[in-house]
Amino acid sequence: MTHAIETICLARVNSYLLAGDDGYVLVDTGKPEKREALDARLTSAGCGPGDLKLIVITHGDYDHAGNAAFLREKHGCTIAMHRSDAGRVMKADWRLGMKPKPDKFPLVFRVASLFIRPGWFETFRPNLYLEDEQKLGDFGVDATVLHLPGHTRGSIGVLTSAGDLFCGDLMDSMMGRPSLQFFINDMKQARASLARLRELEIGTVYPGHGRPFTMAQVKERRSG
Ligand SMILES: [Zn+2]
């Protein structure tokens, strides 16, 4: 079954709205600074108050979790994510569960991070902890959760039965073609996650940052 996908790109962060059988599922929620714009986009897509059934947070970074608490309040929906990243959104502590020194964090981004700190967002407690291979049918979408650690320990993806993958920040296409994200907490985990994806039936990949790409493009590249 195919679900219509609305891409909402605000401040270079993507959220994806999936039309389900009875309401909507939102994958990631963007930065709190873009709350009004996000809210307007959801409304214009037909997702009015109460229509959002589920928010899936691919990982506990502020640019993905920043509007989850607000949207839950408005729609009365469930917030679901992996347990391993939950402490990061409950405490708004982006270092929690991370290595003291991430495996991949190029100098230019490290320097930039000294000046651009993750912003404030409302902390929240997820309603539901998602496991690897968990089905989302109860929320009206024909999709499966994949635990894809690497960027963070609790990073997950959502794979629809139509072969659309929402990969969070495991990969992006900010440099014009798909690659592993610039920030990888654990490279061994990230490579294992990528290897697993290569074996699955995946058509299009929708990243947390950048434009969609195909899994065939990923396979053309020997490494991320
Ligand atoms: Zn991100």
Side-chain angles (χ1 to χ4, degrees), residues 165-181:
L165 173 73
F166 304 92
C167 74
D169 279 3
L170 176 66
M171 292 182 278
D172 71 21
S173 61
M174 294 300 272
M175 306 306 274
R177 53 186 185 172
S179 65
L180 283 178
Q181 233 245 356

Side-chain angles (χ1 to χ4, degrees), residues 25-88:
V25 172
L26 185 66
V27 179
D28 287 335
T29 67
K31 297 180 179 182
E33 298 93 302
K34 293 291 165 189
R35 180 165 301 170
E36 277 181 32
L38 173 69
D39 204 24
R41 287 288 298 276
L42 292 177
T43 305
S44 69
C47 184
D51 292 337
L52 189 60
K53 304 298 176 200
L54 174 69
I55 294 169
V56 176
I57 300 295
T58 60
H59 61 289
D61 283 343
Y62 110 106
D63 55 332
H64 300 259
N67 293 303
F70 163 78
L71 290 173
R72 179 167 63 186
E73 184 77 15
K74 174 168 178 172
H75 295 273
C77 60
T78 297
I79 301 176
M81 65 186 295
H82 196 274
R83 190 182 293 275
S84 299
D85 265 24
R88 310 180 76 227

Side-chain angles (χ1 to χ4, degrees), residues 133-201:
E133 302 279 357
Q134 190 163 340
K135 305 280 182 196
L136 297 177
D138 286 354
F139 298 95
V141 288
D142 199 357
T144 306
V145 172
L146 301 175
H147 185 207
L148 301 172
H151 178 70
T152 66
R153 282 185 197 176
S155 287
I156 55 172
V158 174
L159 177 61
T160 72
S161 60
D164 294 317
L165 173 73
F166 304 92
C167 74
D169 279 3
L170 176 66
M171 292 182 278
D172 71 21
S173 61
M174 294 300 272
M175 306 306 274
R177 53 186 185 172
S179 65
L180 283 178
Q181 233 245 356
F182 71 83
F183 182 100
I184 297 292
N185 182 59
D186 189 313
M187 189 55 87
K188 207 173 151 205
Q189 286 182 344
R191 294 211 182 283
S193 293
L194 198 55
R196 181 181 177 198
L197 293 180
R198 286 168 189 266
E199 302 303 317
L200 297 173
E201 295 272 320

